[in-house]
Amino acid sequence: MRKSQLYINGKLISAKKTYIRENPATMEPLQEVSLASKKDINNACSSALTAFAVWSKTPPVVRGQMMFKIANLIREKINILSLINTQETGKPINESTLVELGGVIRTFEYYAGLATKIKGNSQVINHELLSITLKEPVGVVGQILPWNFPLLLAAWKIAPALAAGCCIVVKPSELTPHGTIELAKIISDCGVPNGVVNVCPGSGEDAGDALVKNNKISKISFTGSSQVGKLIVRNSAANLTKLSLELGGKAPNIVFDDANLSSCIEANLRGGFFNQGENCTAVTRLFIHKKIYNKFLKLYVKNISKINQEDPESMTSQMGSLISSQHLKKVKQCVSKSLSQGGKLIYQGKIKKNLKGYFYPPTLIETSSSKNILFKEEVFGPVVAIIKFENEKEVVAMANDTNYGLAGGVWTQDISRALRVASSIDAGYLWVNTYGGIIPETPYGGVKQSGLGKELGSEGLEEYIRTKNISIFTGSSLPSWYGNK
Ligand code: NAD
């Protein structure tokens, strides 16, 4: 069985505590995972701090060149990385290769290009005073990851931090550590000095908590649940650590009666069931105008029933297993609760008999009550709530009736209505007449309880940079204040 060790200062190290992680699609043992202790985290932070003296002074052009190399080496190793990713998560191999690893490569290339575009400013305050601003890396950053897109989300955090000149301690989810360790080894193989990227798998309570509280850390970038996000805000207060938080979502997708139905069905299949619905921007509340409700429902169900849920390592698999037995239990409980609260089961697929892992079938539930659990809580599984609406005002109010504000979508041929509704939705990332696909060039992040700060785009790079002002006196002598000559 393979080992997922810690990667500290360019070396693989076994932790004292380990556990056996299974493949969620087969329930067979997959790897022995090292769980970092507080001491391991402290060692990783010290290595990163030592490396910071070198990496922060490495010319941006050299950092960028190394990052282009990293993108190329990932491209060469795409098949093995995709397989690791699929075995750890249970997601279809095609989604791992084409979407997740494809996104990882694009992200490294995008930030490789941005490494040389970081620049400050200068301003003549008056004829004797010049002010310049310097853009500096924030320091050592702690990055805490969830399990749903282990490699993509690692790239969204590691690439901008490297471009900015920061050093990194990553804590992947204890369920999906191995891909991130392989990624760190690739980064070292491309010339990035030891200690710049360290990876410490471990539990949230031990390793995550120790990272958040470590006083060598200047910034924490966290992706995960809103519940843990709030805990991190509290725990980072002692050191006033800079934070960015990418948290949960409850995305609405609003379909008006003039929508292009075939595109809309395609997008909602991806929106609801891609990555088994374990996706923070998944369409979880699908609002359909009453005039097209029946037609939409018929077409949507017909297409959902064709989703091929099978062994995720098969090239024809379109949907795999959930991440763990615990998560499967949670999804089942949410569905039962929704039905007990008046939700109506419109469609549920059947799990093939040969599948042994934590599979849950695509599920569609009709609901009208905003009190239904599917309106309020993140299920994080292949479960879509479908809701009929009558007019724009009513649907915008329903869409915003949530503590979350991550993403959403609008479907209409009326450009004014599209912009009006998209602007009225209280969320950070909106799509019009398409859904899904977050590209590195665009700033991504939530509002309300979906998060703080941005990832991706130039805004994502800014999160790893601090601004210093230097004012320079350019006159021959300072004016006297105390009357001294
Ligand atoms: P989680 O919050 O349970 O865990 C996320 C990470 O935090 C894990 O690495 C975990 O070990 C760590 N952690 C747990 N307790 C901690 C603590 N006390 N201190 C420090 N770290 C701690 O989330 P999850 O179950 O891994 O992932 C699913 C969640 O992630 C969903 O809510 C989903 O919406 C969210 N998510 C958000 C985005 C986004 O971009 N907004 C993307 C993916 C996932």
Side-chain angles (χ1 to χ4, degrees), residues 166-212:
C166 294
C167 292
I168 304 160
V169 179
V170 188
K171 195 207 82 63
S173 164
E174 55 276 39
L175 300 175
T176 54
H178 201 73
T180 313
I181 291 161
E182 291 301 315
L183 181 61
K185 283 159 60 187
I186 288 175
I187 291 171
S188 295
D189 289 346
C190 291
V192 174
N194 288 344
V196 174
V197 178
N198 306 277
V199 184
C200 291
S203 74
E205 298 72 34
D206 295 332
D209 186 68
L211 189 57
V212 171

Side-chain angles (χ1 to χ4, degrees), residues 143-163:
Q143 302 182 328
I144 301 177
L145 302 172
W147 44 259
N148 63 330
F149 287 97
L151 284 169
L152 185 63
L153 300 183
W156 286 7
K157 294 189 190 303
I158 294 173
L162 285 181

Side-chain angles (χ1 to χ4, degrees), residues 333-344:
Q333 279 169 351
C334 284
V335 169
S336 305
K337 188 152 184 200
S338 168
L339 299 180
S340 73
Q341 290 173 332
K344 182 176 156 200

Side-chain angles (χ1 to χ4, degrees), residues 145-148 171 174 208 222-225 246-248 280 378 444:
L145 302 172
W147 44 259
N148 63 330
K171 195 207 82 63
E174 55 276 39
F222 170 78
T223 301
S225 60
E246 295 291 340
L247 309 176
C280 47
E378 209 184 15
Y444 166 71

